[in-house]
Amino acid sequence: MGLVVAKFGGSSVADAASIRRVAKRVVDTKKAGNDVVVVVSAMGDTTDELLDLAHQVSANPPGREMDMLLTSGERISMALLAMAINDLGMEARSYTGSQAGLITDSSHGKARIVDVTPDRIQQAISENAIPIIAGFQGVARETKDITTLGRGGSDLTAVAIACALQADVCEIYTDVDGIFSADPRIAPKARQVPRITYDEMMELAAAGAKVLHLRCVEYAKRFNLPIHVRSSFSEKEGTFVIADLADQSQLVKLSKQGAVMEQPIIAGVAHDLGDAKITVVGVPDRPGMAAAIFQAIADSGVNMDMIVQNVSASGATATDLSFTVPRADAAKAELQLRKIQADLQFKDVETDENIAKVSLVGAGMRSHPGVSATFFKAIAAAGVNVEMISTSEIRISVVIRAEDAKTCVEAVHSAFGLDADGEAVVYGGTGR
Ligand code: ADP
Ligand code: ASP
Ligand code: MG
């Protein structure tokens, strides 16, 4: 048919039996007449285990060494998968990200791809071998050191390679049947969507739906590459991520389902348990305060998301400024704020890690009144208290208590009529 880039996530290659199952699947795709390039993640929870190990030997592991350590996870699975495929009578050759031509900048732990030069991959394809590429990693152009692309970055490797090779599709194999209207792990009534636009998937990914890495969707959008998210545990057709739901042109050979003529109002509900809320208490109410505070956060290299300013509980001439940051960066942000506390004369800094962000995403929100009203009514009826609110053109997000996340997601999901009749299947993985 053409060229398929297939990425298998950690849960799909978690043990020897799974690796053999994936090998069979790859060989079948090849036998069906396709050229196949495979990208693999580390086995199961290997990356988390390596991270834990690093923190047991060092309080502050250098980025270079951390990347060297973490990339070993993908090297294990790539070699094992190549062995299993060779056993089935087809030639497979494994390549590190560096060997596959994934060239990045030198920012360890969150490197950006600056070039993709897949000569060796093309060579292997032309010799009828199946290249197996270690996901999540590259090599820095300047320093020649090994880098990683950020957690979940194997999705990005797969899409970048697929774009460079002008593949027909990038298949992302995972432990659920496709993209659902909510995370099936916390909302069993989530419904699989047959198609979703790049824009909606980007909002869902940014709002915490880790089924696809945000940067991989951005990258695919730029090259108009269709992504097919599906399960490695079933043969079912999954979900296609494309530019325009009504445009069937790229999908005629890939999908049995017809075009979606009318854009659904809501694409899905996402939740994120990875943020913390920082409140700067008792900020003197004068111009320039917010600018100085946010400059300090920017200087520490921390990204922030939602922002709320309130009259301070500590007095009417002061305000409290709250914002959210990734939980892993909260301590760094707080430290930075302490440094400017005496200068700016605010009273205190509080960090609250016990929060969740719940977001409703849908391109139809633009043209349908009443979406916010239904959203907030559903949350109120579930007895959940809203602490912060933010919106984009196609998203509404709230910050709530972490323990209310499941209740809130399910309430919103039901209120928009998204509940499926049956229960969504989660085939494997720990969701870690
Ligand atoms: P992999 O190891 O294959 O990369 P991930 O754990 O990164 O898998 O992503 C798959 C998981 O994403 C699913 O098991 C599911 O719990 C979670 N998820 C979150 N939101 C969604 C969603 N809207 N649709 C499908 N899965 C989702
Ligand atoms: N193994 C890496 C991680 O766990 C990359 C990936 O799985 O995509 O983040
Ligand atoms: Mg993933």
Side-chain angles (χ1 to χ4, degrees), residues 357-419:
K357 188 169 73 182
V358 172
S359 305
L360 180 72
V361 173
M365 264 181 214
R366 288 194 197 103
S367 49
H368 283 80
V371 171
S372 304
T374 307
F375 179 69
F376 286 104
K377 249 184 252 164
I379 297 174
V384 173
N385 187 43
V386 173
E387 300 177 18
M388 296 169 102
I389 302 171
S390 83
T391 60
S392 83
E393 210 184 348
I394 63 168
R395 175 184 52 80
I396 317 172
S397 305
V398 291
V399 167
I400 56 172
R401 290 291 94 202
E403 59 269 23
D404 290 334
K406 181 178 164 65
T407 311
C408 184
V409 168
E410 291 190 311
V412 171
H413 195 266
S414 296
F416 283 92
L418 299 172
D419 288 357

Side-chain angles (χ1 to χ4, degrees), residues 7 9-10 41 151-155 172 174 210-213:
K7 176 254 169 177
S41 290
R151 295 307 307 273
S154 297
D155 295 343
I172 304 280
T174 184
K210 65 170 182 165
V211 61
L212 281 180
H213 192 274

Side-chain angles (χ1 to χ4, degrees), residues 126-432:
S126 71
E127 291 168 12
N128 207 29
I130 302 174
I132 316 289
I133 302 172
F136 169 60
Q137 55 182 274
V139 62
R141 178 179 270 164
E142 319 261 272
T143 60
K144 303 279 180 283
D145 282 330
I146 298 301
T147 53
T148 60
L149 307 175
R151 295 307 307 273
S154 297
D155 295 343
L156 179 58
T157 304
V159 165
I161 288 285
C163 292
L165 298 173
Q166 298 184 315
D168 300 279
V169 61
C170 180
E171 298 190 320
I172 304 280
Y173 285 91
T174 184
D175 52 13
V176 288
D177 280 320
I179 297 166
F180 284 72
S181 51
D183 184 345
R185 261 178 227 278
I186 79 155
K189 292 218 166 128
R191 177 190 296 269
Q192 192 191 327
V193 297
R195 310 253 195 277
I196 189 166
T197 63
Y198 295 120
D199 291 337
E200 287 172 319
M201 190 58 228
M202 274 165 8
E203 287 280 3
L204 282 174
K210 65 170 182 165
V211 61
L212 281 180
H213 192 274
L214 171 61
R215 279 159 60 198
C216 106
V217 190
E218 288 169 354
Y219 205 109
K221 180 184 177 184
R222 215 170 318 126
F223 288 83
N224 199 27
L225 170 83
I227 302 179
H228 184 186
V229 179
R230 57 193 310 193
S231 166
S232 68
F233 299 82
S234 84
E235 294 291 329
K236 291 185 197 156
E237 182 167 317
T239 300
F240 285 92
V241 190
I242 49 175
D244 175 358
L245 299 190
D247 178 6
Q248 191 69 0
S249 58
Q250 286 172 309
L251 302 185
V252 268
K253 283 192 286 183
L254 300 172
S255 168
K256 294 194 188 74
Q257 307 208 24
V260 175
M261 294 319 287
E262 195 166 13
Q263 173 88 46
I265 300 174
I266 300 304
V269 187
H271 71 284
D272 196 339
L273 292 164
D275 282 348
K277 179 169 86 168
I278 294 186
T279 302
V280 188
V281 182
V283 182
D285 198 4
R286 27 170 221 271
M289 284 291 146
I293 285 168
F294 295 142
Q295 186 60 52
I297 302 298
D299 291 345
S300 67
V302 173
N303 279 322
M304 47 182 225
D305 184 23
M306 293 169 138
I307 303 171
V308 166
Q309 189 176 16
N310 280 324
V311 173
S312 179
S314 68
T317 56
T319 61
D320 287 350
L321 198 62
S322 299
F323 52 89
T324 59
V325 297
R327 197 170 295 171
D329 291 337
K332 210 188 328 176
E334 182 170 341
L335 197 71
Q336 195 74 12
L337 289 168
R338 293 279 177 212
K339 287 188 196 156
I340 57 167
Q341 181 170 6
D343 254 11
L344 299 193
Q345 295 186 314
F346 54 77
K347 289 214 168 61
D348 203 2
V349 183
E350 287 166 5
T351 298
D352 180 353
E353 301 205 326
N354 198 24
I355 60 159
K357 188 169 73 182
V358 172
S359 305
L360 180 72
V361 173
M365 264 181 214
R366 288 194 197 103
S367 49
H368 283 80
V371 171
S372 304
T374 307
F375 179 69
F376 286 104
K377 249 184 252 164
I379 297 174
V384 173
N385 187 43
V386 173
E387 300 177 18
M388 296 169 102
I389 302 171
S390 83
T391 60
S392 83
E393 210 184 348
I394 63 168
R395 175 184 52 80
I396 317 172
S397 305
V398 291
V399 167
I400 56 172
R401 290 291 94 202
E403 59 269 23
D404 290 334
K406 181 178 164 65
T407 311
C408 184
V409 168
E410 291 190 311
V412 171
H413 195 266
S414 296
F416 283 92
L418 299 172
D419 288 357
D421 295 334
E423 286 214 351
V425 185
V426 178
Y427 295 93
T430 56
R432 202 175 153 179

